C-alpha cells in the first residue's frame, strides 16, 4: 500500500515507523529537513522537504497514486487543508487527519465532501486519556482495551501470588469460572510469550491476556490478581491537554483529584476550566516537599503526564518511594518505556501506541472495526466483521477449528447480535459476527486480514 504522511513530528514519526515495518511504501513530507533526515537514516522510506498544503509538493510526493493519506502535522489547519487538497485535486481514496481541537468531531459537515474531506480523525490526546481512564477503572490491570462497542474487553493483568487462579491450567480456568464469559489467549512469563495452550499452567507473576465479556471483567480480573481497593484519590503531574481532559473526567465521576502544573499562567487556566472539586497546585512533580505536603502516600494512583519523559520517570519513582500505591507514567521514547514498565513504575503508557491503535483500524484491510496494540506493540487484537457465505468467505459457515489462523493466533470472542460468545473449535462463524482475534505478531496480520476479505462475487 502506498502511504503519504504529512508531518514528521512525534506523531508522524511514530506512524511512519509502524507502517514502514509492515512493508508499505511510505513518503513523508515535512517543512523541517532535519526531521526528514533522521527518518530516512533509520527507515526505508522517502522524505520530501516542503509544505504539505501546496499542490506542487503533494504532486512531487506522488499523491496522484496514493492509497492512504495521513495528515499529522502539528497544526490542525494544515492537516485539514491538506486532506481537502488530497481529495479534491488528487482523488486520494482514504484521508485521515490528526486533530487536536476537541470540537471538530462534533461538526460532521466540516469533515464531509463539502468540508475538509476527512474520512477519519485521530486525536492522540483523546486516545491516551481514554486509555488512562480505563487503567484507573481497573486498578489491577496493566492494559485494558475495548471491542464491540465496549461489550468485549481485552485485559492484560499480572497473576498475584495469592490468586485463586495461580497454578491452574488455562483449561481449568474455564471450569473455575462457570459464570464468567472469558478466555485466556496469551501468557507471558519473564516478558516472553508462552503461546498458551489449554494445558499451560499459569504461575504467579505471569502476565495473562484475557478476552472477557465486559460485564464480567472486574470479577475475572480480581480473581486473577490480588484485588486492590477501589481507586478514589488521584494525583496528576502535568496540566496539558491530557492532564486537563483526564482531571475533568475523573472529577465529574466523583474522584478526588489533585493536579500539579509548573506554569503559573496554565494553573490559572486550569483553575477556571476545571470543576471546583479539582485542587490545582502550582509546582513541580519532582518536588519532594510538595508531594509530602499534599500527602502523596495517601494517593491510590499517581499519573505523570507532562511532555518530558525524564520528568515523568523521576516524579513517578519519587511518588512510589513516598508511598503512592500505583504509579503510571506517560513515556514517549520506546526504549524508556520498555525499561521502566514493571519496575518501580507500575505502568508506562506510550502515546504512540495509543494513537496507532486508533489509526490501524483505518489501515487494516477487510472489514476491520477496531485494532489495539498489545505487549508494547508486539502483538495485536483485532475486531473484524465476517461477511458473505461459505462460497465467498474464508470464515463464514466454518468451524473455528477449521480456520487457517497464523501460528499462535486465536479467536477470543464473538459478538453475535446482543450475545457475547467464547468460541471453541466447533463454534461456526456466521455472517455478521464481530470476531475478536488475538495475533501474537504484527507480521501475521496480513494473513488475518486476508481471512476476513470476501471474494468479488459477494459484491
Amino acid at each position: 500500500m502506498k502511504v503519504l504522511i504529512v508531518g514528521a513530528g512525534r506523531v508522524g514519526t511514530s506512524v511512519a515507523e509502524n507502517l514502514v515495518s509492515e512493508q508499505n511504501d511510505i513518503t513523508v513530507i515535512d517543512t523541517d529537513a532535519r526531521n526528514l533526515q533522521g527518518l530516512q537514516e533509520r527507515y526505508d522510506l522517502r522524505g520530501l522537504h516542503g509544505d504539505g498544503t501546496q499542490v506542487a509538493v503533494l504532486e512531487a510526493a506522488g499523491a496522484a497514486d496514493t492509497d492512504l493519506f495521513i495528515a499529522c502535522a502539528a497544526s490542525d489547519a494544515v492537516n485539514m487543508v491538506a486532506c481537502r487538497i488530497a481529495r479534491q485535486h488528487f482523488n486520494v481514496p482514504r484521508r485521515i487527519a490528526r486533530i487536536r481541537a476537541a470540537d471538530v468531531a462534533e461538526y460532521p459537515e466540516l469533515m464531509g465532501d463539502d468540508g475538509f474531506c476527512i474520512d477519519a480523525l485521530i486525536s492522540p490526546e483523546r486516545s491516551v486519556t481514554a486509555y488512562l481512564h480505563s487503567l484507573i477503572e481497573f486498578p489491577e490491570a496493566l492494559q485494558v482495551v475495548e471491542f464491540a462497542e465496549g461489550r468485549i474487553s481485552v485485559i492484560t493483568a499480572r497473576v498475584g501470588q495469592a490468586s485463586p487462579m495461580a497454578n491452574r491450567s488455562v483449561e481449568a480456568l474455564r471450569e473455575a469460572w462457570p459464570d464468567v464469559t472469558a478466555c485466556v489467549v496469551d501468557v507471558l512469563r519473564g516478558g516472553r510469550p508462552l503461546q498458551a495452550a489449554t494445558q499451560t499452567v499459569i504461575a504467579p507473576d505471569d502476565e495473562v491476556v484475557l478476552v472477557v465479556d465486559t460485564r464480567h471483567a472486574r470479577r475475572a480480573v480480581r480473581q486473577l490478581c490480588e484485588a486492590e481497593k477501589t481507586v478514589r484519590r488521584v494525583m496528576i503531574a502535568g496540566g496539558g491537554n491530557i492532564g486537563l481532559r483526564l482531571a475533568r473526567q475523573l472529577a465529574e465521576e466523583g474522584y478526588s483529584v489533585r493536579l500539579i502544573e509548573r506554569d503559573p499562567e496554565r494553573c490559572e487556566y486550569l483553575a477556571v476550566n476545571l470543576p471546583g472539586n479539582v485542587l490545582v497546585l502550582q509546582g513541580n512533580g519532582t518536588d519532594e516537599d510538595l508531594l509530602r505536603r499534599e500527602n502523596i502516600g495517601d494517593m491510590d494512583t499517581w499519573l505523570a503526564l507532562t511532555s518530558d519523559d525524564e520528568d515523568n520517570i523521576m516524579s513517578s519513582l519519587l511518588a512510589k518511594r513516598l508511598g503512592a500505591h500505583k504509579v503510571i507514567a506517560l513515556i514517549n521514547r520506546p526504549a524508556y518505556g520498555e525499561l521502566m514498565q514493571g519496575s518501580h513504575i507500575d505502568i508506562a503508557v506510550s502515546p504512540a501506541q495509543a494513537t496507532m491503535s486508533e489509526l490501524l483500524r483505518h489501515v487494516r484491510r477487510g472489514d476491520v472495526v477496531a485494532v489495539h496494540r498489545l505487549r508494547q506493540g508486539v502483538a495485536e487484537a483485532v475486531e473484524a466483521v465476517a461477511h458473505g457465505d461459505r462460497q465467498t468467505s474464508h470464515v463464514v459457515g466454518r468451524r473455528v477449528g477449521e480456520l487457517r489462523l497464523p501460528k499462535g493466533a486465536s479467536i477470543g470472542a464473538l459478538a453475535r447480535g446482543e450475545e457475547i460468545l467464547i468460541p471453541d473449535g466447533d463454534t461456526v462463524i456466521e455472517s455478521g459476527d464481530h470476531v475478536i482475534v488475538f495475533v501474537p505478531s504484527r507480521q501475521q496480520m496480513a494473513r488475518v486480514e486476508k481471512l476476513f476479505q470476501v471474494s468479488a462475487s459477494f459484491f
Side-chain angles (χ1 to χ4, degrees):
M1 179 167 61
K2 185 168 183 179
V3 182
L4 179 54
I5 300 170
V6 174
R10 182 175 289 170
V11 175
T13 296
S14 171
V15 170
E17 67 186 11
N18 277 273
L19 296 184
V20 79
S21 66
E22 299 181 11
Q23 299 181 337
N24 294 294
D25 180 5
I26 309 289
T27 300
V28 182
I29 301 171
D30 198 86
T31 54
D32 190 330
R34 292 171 298 179
N35 287 343
L36 293 172
Q37 183 179 357
L39 269 176
Q40 288 178 295
E41 287 173 353
R42 285 180 288 160
Y43 306 110
D44 181 19
L45 52 75
R46 178 190 175 205
L48 182 64
H49 183 227
D51 184 344
T53 63
Q54 293 183 359
V55 173
V57 173
L58 293 176
E59 187 169 21
D65 59 350
T66 289
D67 301 303
L68 176 64
F69 185 86
I70 304 173
C72 47
S75 165
D76 286 358
V78 167
N79 295 334
M80 295 166 78
V81 171
C83 282
R84 183 176 175 90
I85 295 172
R87 171 68 178 89
Q88 293 195 337
H89 193 79
F90 296 101
N91 200 29
V92 177
R94 287 189 293 164
R95 302 155 308 280
I96 300 172
R98 180 264 183 102
I99 301 294
R100 285 176 170 272
D103 60 346
V104 173
E106 299 174 11
Y107 301 95
E109 63 273 14
L110 292 177
M111 297 175 60
D113 286 346
D114 293 330
F116 289 97
C117 309
I118 300 170
D119 292 319
L121 299 177
I122 56 172
S123 168
E125 292 87 356
R126 181 183 62 198
S127 300
V128 173
T129 303
Y131 182 50
L132 292 169
H133 184 266
S134 69
L135 292 174
I136 293 171
E137 280 195 312
F138 287 86
E140 301 91 352
L142 300 174
Q143 184 175 18
V144 182
V145 295
E146 293 185 340
F147 296 94
E149 298 179 331
R151 294 184 297 143
I152 297 174
S153 296
V154 176
I155 299 174
T156 303
R158 182 172 285 108
V159 179
Q161 294 286 339
S163 167
M165 299 304 170
N167 302 311
R168 288 177 177 258
S169 69
V170 169
E171 186 177 46
L173 290 184
R174 196 175 282 194
E175 299 171 6
W177 289 345
D179 56 345
V180 173
T181 304
C183 73
V184 172
V185 294
D186 199 19
V187 178
L188 286 85
R189 184 166 298 159
R192 295 185 177 184
L194 300 182
Q195 293 189 347
T198 56
Q199 299 306 314
T200 301
V201 175
I202 297 173
D205 291 327
D206 282 353
E207 289 183 21
V208 172
V209 181
L210 189 72
V211 180
V212 59
D213 184 325
T214 300
R215 293 170 297 184
H216 306 158
R218 196 171 301 279
R219 195 184 328 161
V221 171
R222 291 200 167 192
Q223 289 187 38
L224 275 173
C225 310
E226 297 167 18
E228 299 185 11
K229 62 181 180 180
T230 303
V231 173
R232 299 315 308 166
R233 296 179 295 275
V234 177
M235 187 176 287
I236 300 171
N241 289 336
I242 295 172
L244 170 62
R245 286 174 184 240
L246 184 62
R248 177 183 291 132
Q249 186 174 358
L250 293 175
E252 290 172 351
E253 294 173 0
Y255 289 84
S256 171
V257 182
R258 300 185 184 194
L259 178 59
I260 301 172
E261 167 58 42
R262 69 171 64 189
D263 186 319
E265 290 185 11
R266 182 67 177 177
C267 281
E268 292 181 11
Y269 176 85
L270 294 168
V272 170
N273 288 277
L274 283 169
N277 57 338
V278 177
L279 177 61
V280 178
L281 303 163
Q282 197 270 314
N284 193 315
T286 60
D287 183 340
E288 182 173 349
D289 290 336
L290 173 62
L291 297 189
R292 287 186 185 277
R293 285 199 308 272
E294 297 303 324
N295 301 313
I296 183 65
D298 294 334
M299 293 297 126
D300 299 317
T301 304
W302 161 273
L303 300 106
L305 308 180
T306 75
S307 58
D308 187 297
D309 284 356
E310 287 80 4
D311 266 9
N312 289 343
I313 291 170
M314 294 306 297
S315 66
S316 295
L317 293 174
L318 178 61
K320 191 72 170 182
R321 183 170 67 81
L322 294 177
H325 185 66
K326 182 175 183 178
V327 299
I328 300 172
L330 200 64
I331 301 178
N332 285 283
R333 294 179 63 176
Y336 283 6
E338 293 168 9
L339 183 65
M340 301 311 301
Q341 174 82 27
S343 61
H344 293 294
I345 294 176
D346 296 298
I347 302 178
V349 173
S350 165
Q353 292 301 335
T355 303
M356 283 306 302
S357 292
E358 188 175 357
L359 175 67
L360 282 173
R361 69 187 180 96
H362 304 291
V363 175
R364 298 299 183 210
R365 297 172 177 86
D367 193 352
V368 172
V369 178
V371 180
H372 289 287
R373 288 273 169 87
L374 308 173
R375 290 206 265 109
Q376 298 291 316
V378 175
E380 288 186 5
V382 58
E383 175 186 351
V385 183
H387 289 302
D389 54 31
R390 193 173 176 87
Q391 282 68 46
T392 58
S393 169
H394 298 290
V395 297
V396 174
R398 290 172 170 80
R399 293 183 296 107
V400 168
E402 293 180 69
L403 303 183
R404 296 182 177 180
L405 291 167
K407 183 179 179 181
S410 60
I411 293 179
L414 305 176
R416 181 175 294 168
E418 296 302 313
E419 190 176 9
I420 305 299
L421 304 173
I422 300 298
D424 56 27
D426 293 324
T427 303
V428 177
I429 306 292
E430 298 180 4
S431 182
D433 283 352
H434 286 238
V435 184
I436 313 304
V437 187
F438 170 77
V439 188
S441 170
R442 284 159 41 193
Q443 283 67 38
Q444 298 171 325
M445 273 304 305
R447 289 179 58 189
V448 174
E449 292 169 11
K450 192 172 182 180
L451 270 179
F452 285 90
Q453 290 175 338
V454 294
S455 66
S457 60
F458 174 65
F459 299 100

